[in-house]
Amino acid sequence: TVAVWDTADGSELTRLSGGRGLTGVAFTPDGGSLLVSAADGTVSRFETGGFTAAERFAWGLGPLHAVAVAPDGLTAAASGDAR
């Protein structure tokens, strides 16, 4: 589970569940999406406006360790066990 807090007042906004065994998170540069990587090999994308699940990707990399988003917000990368 990923918990998201409001930095202004410290209140918890929501809790998100992605795949099994969450391993990393990354916001898009515009703050409109949050990507969550998981040990089950998936990356889930959540819209930050209402923290709704938008998409789930399985890139065939095996268990994932981290996710990152490029500064242009159009490219994401994940590290996994696949060779």
Side-chain angles (χ1 to χ4, degrees):
T1 300
V2 174
V4 180
W5 287 274
D6 184 323
T7 58
D9 65 14
S11 64
E12 184 176 301
L13 297 174
T14 190
R15 287 184 179 253
L16 307 172
S17 295
R20 296 179 56 93
L22 303 182
T23 58
V25 297
F27 281 97
T28 56
D30 67 2
S33 295
L34 173 67
L35 279 68
V36 178
S37 61
D40 69 359
T42 63
V43 173
S44 299
R45 185 178 71 83
F46 296 89
E47 302 275 340
T48 58
F51 292 102
T52 56
E55 298 173 277
R56 193 169 198 180
F57 307 98
W59 291 328
L61 300 174
L64 299 179
H65 305 291
V67 64
V69 180
D72 66 7
L74 301 174
T75 305
S79 65
D81 286 347
R83 296 183 194 270

